[in-house]
Amino acid sequence: MITAILAAALAACNPAASGPWQPDIGNGMYRNPVLAGDYSDPDVVRVGQDFYLVSSSFTNVPGLPILHSRDLVNWTIVGHALDHLEPTAHFSIPRRGGGVWAPAIRYRNGRFLIYYPDPDHGIFLVTAKDPRGPWSRPTLVWDAKGAIDPAPFWDAQGRGWLVNAWAGSRAGFNNIVTLNRLSADGTHVVGKGRTIIDGKDFAPVATRDGVRRWNVIEGPKLYQRQSWFFVFAPAGGVKQGWQGVFRSRRIEGPYTARNVMDQGATDINGPHQGAWVTTAQGEDWFIHFQDRDGYGRVVHLEPMSWRGDWPVIGSDPGGDGRGEPVTVHAKPRGAIEALRVPQASDDFIAGIGPAWQWNSNPGADWAHVTGGKLRLKSVTEPANLYEAGNLLSQKLPAPSFSATTIVTFAPVRVGERTGLAVAGHNYAFIGLENMAEGIHLIEESSRDAGVHRAVGPLVAKGRIWLRLRAAPTVLEVPGPQDKEFDQPAMHRAVEPRVRFSYSLDGRTFVDLGEAFVADQGRWTGAQIGLFATAPYGTPAAVATSVGYADFESFTVGR
């Protein structure tokens, strides 16, 4: 039985709003999330009337997606800052949990700057005059293993600073924010850094889940307002934590701490790290993410006000300065923007659209577009589709949606496969497989109990319509063993429940296989994707004698 809080969480997904999620209600109001896709660790900068958002991309390529908006509500993808991941060879296969973590975007002296961390290789900088590119090759700013979540800041004297957190899995410690000086050109740290925030030094804080210690402080952003320096940094864990702010008269500290936003009475768990941005009209807003399990880390927009030189984020029904997220709110004042959503559907006429990302650095021959068709080579697959770098994927576009593609399969070897997939730690797909007796429709899913297959009819011409339909389901799950992190949000998961179907004529669709509940990946939500593969173990000497799949369209809808 679904409890009241689970039912509320499911209602928040708004399954009636099928198709691409539209946050702009159209009457001067918006609804959260403003981005229903998995745009983890968002950071935003305003340049004139334009806002640019960047997010983590982990092992997806191209990396560092950049979105544009005029009102902080309607967003579209305008490019990526990384066309491949470095070291190139290292990322020739998916390095789940590695790659590009939380970035920060700034605009200075006529150039856009993005500082991003790779927890295994250091902190890097890329720059561009135009956020649409071209972007520079990455410059290594600091080779500190385990340093994450960098954010630059330039003070009134023009001196550059960099704050960062630490990944305990690499550095051996966390819950600390470090401050370093930046060189004049911002390309490397100077001298020895210092710890300015250490969670153990602060008294426990009141949260909606009771009094809790400051732990797992991460995602810091350094700002200045009047004579105060502020470090915005979440704490308490991604899914069950709160948004902290630390304040000092001196950039080096000492800082005092406050919980400025947590879940409160809402169903928006763990409001987590993001960015403070001020509009041209002088309004302050805060953009952050919420961990929604298999749907990934979706982005929310909160109004922000000031009380006693402390920020109050979201609504404040208790009047105590501790905000909670809003569900519906008036849009930023003065901004006019047409209703827009991040691109999802693709006709492949102009190439591969900006929504698509590989799961590793791609091979040069994996894909090409011609005549309005995307041709994917049958790349030798690993044992598990989740480990396939040649899965061409994109983020889930909404809580409820469908995705339909038309594929023509031209295999040359038995065992080649192609299809439409959804992949997290587990995966499922509907597609075609070349068997000894011909090309068969198949549905396959990996689950904890093993791999399940359903075999459909032979497809004589190898051309088929494939469709998946997704809607949210809420599951009760066991909480963490560490009781310090065992908060209510950890006892439920919102996951996409997927059904697959096929059609021989594009009109009548027939279900194949059982419903599949997708789950999250490593720091990411599930992704939908297209693929073509050759059997695992195909010898290198014949690996070039494989077939291909032509995709004519990809349509996201109801």
Side-chain angles (χ1 to χ4, degrees):
M1 179 179 296
I2 298 179
T3 64
I5 189 168
L6 299 187
L10 184 58
C13 290
N14 196 6
S18 45
W21 176 264
Q22 175 52 260
D24 195 325
I25 299 174
N27 60 355
M29 308 290 287
Y30 74 91
R31 58 179 175 170
N32 273 316
V34 291
L35 286 170
D38 182 20
Y39 291 97
S40 179
D41 311 314
D43 192 40
V44 177
V45 65
R46 178 179 66 85
V47 180
Q49 299 290 335
D50 298 287
F51 300 96
Y52 297 97
L53 180 148
V54 67
S55 76
S56 301
S57 50
F58 301 99
T59 61
N60 286 133
V61 179
L64 289 174
I66 300 171
L67 287 79
H68 169 261
S69 177
R70 283 291 185 93
D71 61 4
L72 294 171
V73 173
N74 293 276
W75 294 91
T76 54
I77 307 168
V78 296
H80 293 79
L82 292 174
D83 60 9
H84 69 281
L85 301 183
E86 296 186 3
T88 304
H90 177 79
F91 289 107
S92 63
I93 60 174
R95 301 286 183 176
R96 302 302 185 189
V100 178
W101 286 25
I105 184 169
R106 297 291 182 268
Y107 182 75
R108 179 173 171 78
N109 297 331
R111 297 191 70 86
F112 289 86
L113 317 172
I114 297 177
Y115 289 79
Y116 73 88
D118 178 324
D120 300 304
H121 297 100
I123 291 173
F124 295 86
L125 167 67
V126 291
T127 71
K129 291 183 178 180
D130 186 329
R132 294 161 181 80
W135 286 82
S136 68
R137 290 281 299 277
T139 296
L140 181 62
V141 175
W142 190 23
D143 62 353
K145 186 178 180 65
I148 59 171
D149 307 343
F153 171 79
W154 288 268
D155 61 24
Q157 290 74 44
R159 296 173 298 184
W161 305 84
L162 190 75
V163 292
N164 70 278
W166 297 88
S169 59
R170 274 74 165 184
F173 62 91
N174 63 2
N175 206 29
I176 282 174
V177 175
T178 300
L179 177 71
N180 275 285
R181 281 293 309 277
L182 278 175
S183 61
D185 61 3
T187 61
H188 57 278
V189 299
V190 177
K192 186 177 181 181
R194 60 183 297 171
T195 296
I196 59 170
I197 293 170
D198 187 333
K200 67 178 176 56
D201 295 337
F202 296 92
V205 64
T207 76
R208 84 103 191 211
D209 295 316
V211 176
R212 297 180 61 189
R213 291 193 307 112
W214 288 92
N215 52 42
V216 199
I217 296 171
E218 58 184 354
K221 300 286 172 56
L222 178 60
Y223 305 102
Q224 185 174 9
R225 181 178 183 266
Q226 299 173 357
S227 60
W228 290 103
F229 293 94
F230 294 90
V231 176
F232 284 51
V238 170
K239 192 174 178 181
Q240 72 278 36
W242 64 94
Q243 180 62 44
V245 167
F246 302 81
R247 187 181 76 171
S248 175
R249 294 286 190 185
R250 300 176 63 250
I251 196 170
E252 300 91 347
Y255 284 84
T256 55
R258 177 173 289 194
N259 170 12
V260 298
M261 179 177 63
D262 58 29
Q263 182 172 346
T266 76
D267 52 21
I268 302 171
N269 58 277
H272 211 71
Q273 76 190 65
W276 163 23
V277 62
T278 303
T279 69
Q281 289 72 32
E283 292 182 339
D284 290 320
W285 295 82
F286 188 73
I287 199 159
H288 67 93
F289 77 80
Q290 173 201 8
D291 187 319
R292 198 173 275 177
D293 308 299
Y295 285 94
R297 298 174 173 184
V298 302
V299 178
H300 291 244
L301 176 67
E302 310 291 347
M304 192 171 106
S305 59
W306 294 87
R307 188 178 308 159
D309 286 322
W310 284 98
V312 180
I313 301 177
S315 66
D316 185 14
D320 58 0
R322 192 174 81 209
E324 62 182 43
V326 301
T327 303
V328 177
H329 196 273
K331 292 173 58 178
R333 179 171 53 88
I336 300 175
E337 177 73 287
L339 300 187
R340 306 168 75 184
V341 296
Q343 301 89 320
S345 297
D346 200 345
D347 58 14
F348 304 117
I349 292 175
I352 300 175
W356 297 104
Q357 296 172 291
W358 299 102
N359 278 243
S360 71
N361 283 332
D365 61 347
W366 283 6
H368 71 273
V369 175
T370 181
K373 294 181 181 180
L374 166 68
R375 176 164 294 184
L376 297 183
K377 174 186 174 181
S378 296
V379 178
T380 301
E381 67 177 338
N384 187 314
L385 189 62
Y386 178 58
E387 300 301 331
N390 65 305
L391 179 64
L392 184 62
S393 62
Q394 58 175 269
K395 307 173 191 305
L396 304 188
S400 295
F401 66 95
S402 69
T404 306
T405 189
I406 309 170
V407 61
T408 300
F409 193 30
V412 299
R413 302 177 67 82
V414 170
E416 290 185 40
R417 309 194 294 185
T418 187
L420 171 65
V422 59
H425 281 122
N426 292 317
Y427 70 88
F429 71 86
I430 186 170
L432 301 170
E433 180 173 334
N434 190 31
M435 302 182 183
E437 65 274 22
I439 298 173
H440 267 283
L441 268 160
I442 61 166
E443 186 269 349
E444 181 176 298
S445 61
S446 74
R447 308 179 192 191
D448 294 337
V451 175
H452 300 256
R453 283 171 59 91
V455 179
L458 284 165
V459 180
K461 296 182 180 180
R463 184 175 186 266
I464 200 80
W465 281 257
L466 304 175
R467 175 173 290 172
L468 66 79
R469 306 185 309 277
T473 186
V474 178
L475 306 177
E476 296 192 57
V477 297
Q481 293 183 347
D482 188 338
K483 295 304 179 184
E484 185 172 9
F485 297 96
D486 190 15
Q487 306 304 321
M490 303 301 290
H491 288 262
R492 57 95 172 166
V494 182
E495 310 285 20
R497 183 178 184 272
V498 178
R499 287 303 308 265
F500 292 101
S501 59
Y502 68 92
S503 174
L504 300 175
D505 59 10
R507 295 185 296 274
T508 302
F509 282 80
V510 179
D511 286 347
L512 183 63
E514 300 177 353
F516 172 76
V517 177
D519 61 356
Q520 61 188 335
R522 184 68 168 167
W523 314 130
T524 69
Q527 299 176 349
I528 50 177
L530 309 174
F531 70 92
T533 59
Y536 178 70
T538 298
V542 297
T544 56
S545 63
V546 294
Y548 59 85
D550 282 341
F551 294 88
E552 298 175 34
S553 64
F554 182 85
T555 305
V556 172
R558 296 184 177 278

